Amino acid sequence: MSDDAFESQVRERLDAVERSLSDAVDSDEAFVAEAATHLLRAGGKRFRPLLVLLTAEFGDPSAADIVPAALVVELTHLATLYHDDVMDEAALRRGAQSANARWDNSIAILTGDYLFARASHIVADLGPEAVRIQADTFSRLVQGQIRETTGPRAGEDPLSHYLSVVADKTGALIATSARFGAMMAGAPTSVQDRLTEFGERIGSAFQLSDDIIDVASDAHDSGKTPGTDLREGVPTLPTLIALSSDAPDDARLRELLSGPISNDDDHAEALALLREHPALDDARAFVRRWSDDARALLTDLPPGIARDALESLCDTVVTRIG
């Protein structure tokens, strides 16, 4: 952020959210508390709570319901991570052992359910409209996961299908983060609506950039096992672009990307080929366009430090993919 005083203020509020997160996931049952804090202790970007705090600047940022709203979206996000790691059979999350690897799938699923319940308990105090928005968001999260699992329908464009999955699985909760901040701060409805659009677009761009990082970065850099989706045969932006190529030289890569990759040597070969393929740069260009679209949504908002900070998020989405 360009303003040091504003950045310090936001950091203080993020610290308050962090302290409240620890309290929110606590339990009298020692094992439940340990499992629920497992990923919390591993850290994270806290992108969703940050967005709540930034969009609250378009109203009264000191409003009492802003921190609880930030808790709701981060608890919901944490819950989805526990479930996602089960679906992906992931061994690492945020540089630490995933919950399903440390314990088992049942514990990971139940811990995710517990975190969803904690989020529901908090959102109940934010009013019926917040409850409705959270319910709609949860519905989109689940539908996105189901559509990812079942794959595109016959005749459906794989990339269009994938982008709709990204919008539901990632964009929806980040859009809700942006709406909650503005809504709890009492911003005008028109501002809330525009920020929600921004959240959906930048949230989807954020996930698409993660797709690139999953291919391009090592575990040491990203804190996750590289090529997890590749191993599971889950299509992502770089793989879908690569699969659309009919160049003879890409035959081996297309063969490797045609399904799950269980063999370690094949997985390493696919990663190496994909890292050298033009599809990776095409994917980066795609993310830059989405980031630019998100930035364009901010032009009608009141100018100032808060809008500048949101524009910097657009820059971050691009710079993190190189």
Side-chain angles (χ1 to χ4, degrees):
M1 300 178 191
S2 59
D3 186 284
D4 291 342
F6 179 64
E7 181 173 354
S8 177
Q9 173 183 298
V10 171
R11 286 186 183 277
E12 286 179 9
R13 290 175 178 164
L14 268 179
D15 288 343
V17 172
E18 196 70 28
R19 291 190 297 270
S20 298
L21 275 170
S22 297
D23 293 337
V25 302
D26 199 11
S27 170
D28 292 336
E29 295 290 334
F31 183 75
V32 174
E34 180 185 1
T37 58
H38 177 65
L39 289 185
L40 188 63
R41 289 195 302 267
K45 296 176 284 291
R46 303 293 187 256
F47 183 77
R48 292 152 189 83
L50 174 62
L51 197 55
V52 172
L53 298 179
L54 292 179
T55 57
E57 294 290 331
F58 292 90
D60 176 10
S62 64
D65 287 339
I66 291 170
V67 168
L71 292 179
V72 168
V73 295
E74 187 64 10
L75 288 172
T76 302
H77 174 56
L78 283 170
T80 66
L81 298 185
Y82 281 84
H83 287 182
D84 280 353
D85 285 344
V86 172
M87 300 289 294
D88 298 339
E89 298 181 6
L92 284 178
R93 170 67 70 175
R94 295 175 173 175
Q97 193 176 25
S98 63
N100 50 298
R102 178 171 178 178
W103 294 291
D104 58 31
N105 284 348
S106 295
I107 293 298
I109 291 168
L110 291 169
T111 303
D113 291 347
Y114 172 72
L115 294 173
F116 278 128
R118 297 298 300 140
S120 298
H121 179 81
I122 296 169
V123 80
D125 292 330
L126 301 181
E129 179 64 9
V131 172
R132 184 192 64 77
I133 292 170
Q134 175 72 356
D136 288 346
T137 303
F138 189 42
S139 174
R140 288 187 64 187
L141 290 171
V142 173
Q143 290 183 77
Q145 183 63 68
I146 291 172
R147 284 208 314 281
E148 180 180 80
T149 303
T150 59
R153 297 183 300 272
E156 184 179 8
D157 176 60
L159 181 57
S160 297
H161 171 268
Y162 176 67
L163 293 176
S164 72
V165 168
V166 168
D168 282 346
K169 282 193 62 179
T170 302
L173 185 56
I174 294 179
T176 294
S177 303
R179 179 176 289 281
F180 271 176
M183 177 178 161
M184 301 307 161
T189 301
S190 59
V191 171
Q192 294 180 35
D193 292 343
R194 180 51 61 97
L195 287 169
T196 303
E197 287 184 72
F198 169 80
E200 178 108 12
R201 178 61 61 158
I202 200 65
S204 295
F206 198 88
Q207 177 57 53
L208 296 175
S209 68
D210 267 359
D211 289 351
I212 296 169
I213 291 170
D214 183 57
V215 171
S217 298
D218 294 326
H220 176 74
D221 298 323
S222 66
K224 295 170 64 178
T225 305
T228 298
D229 289 328
L230 197 65
R231 186 178 290 278
E232 295 301 314
V234 176
T236 61
L237 182 62
T239 59
L240 287 169
I241 294 174
L243 282 168
S244 68
S245 168
D246 57 2
D249 290 346
D250 294 336
R252 174 57 178 164
L253 179 58
R254 288 195 300 271
E255 177 188 354
L256 290 167
L257 297 181
S258 63
I261 307 175
S262 57
N263 181 275
D264 288 343
D265 290 339
D266 287 346
H267 182 258
E269 182 185 1
L271 264 181
L273 289 172
L274 196 53
R275 285 170 175 171
E276 295 300 322
H277 196 277
L280 204 55
D281 283 337
D282 290 345
R284 289 188 175 101
F286 193 99
V287 170
R288 291 188 188 99
R289 290 195 297 272
W290 277 50
S291 177
D292 289 342
D293 289 345
R295 187 191 302 273
L297 290 167
L298 299 173
T299 56
D300 291 335
L301 295 175
I305 297 173
R307 195 176 84 177
D308 293 344
L310 295 179
E311 289 178 347
S312 75
L313 290 182
C314 300
D315 296 332
T316 299
V317 167
V318 171
T319 56
R320 70 198 294 262
I321 58 174

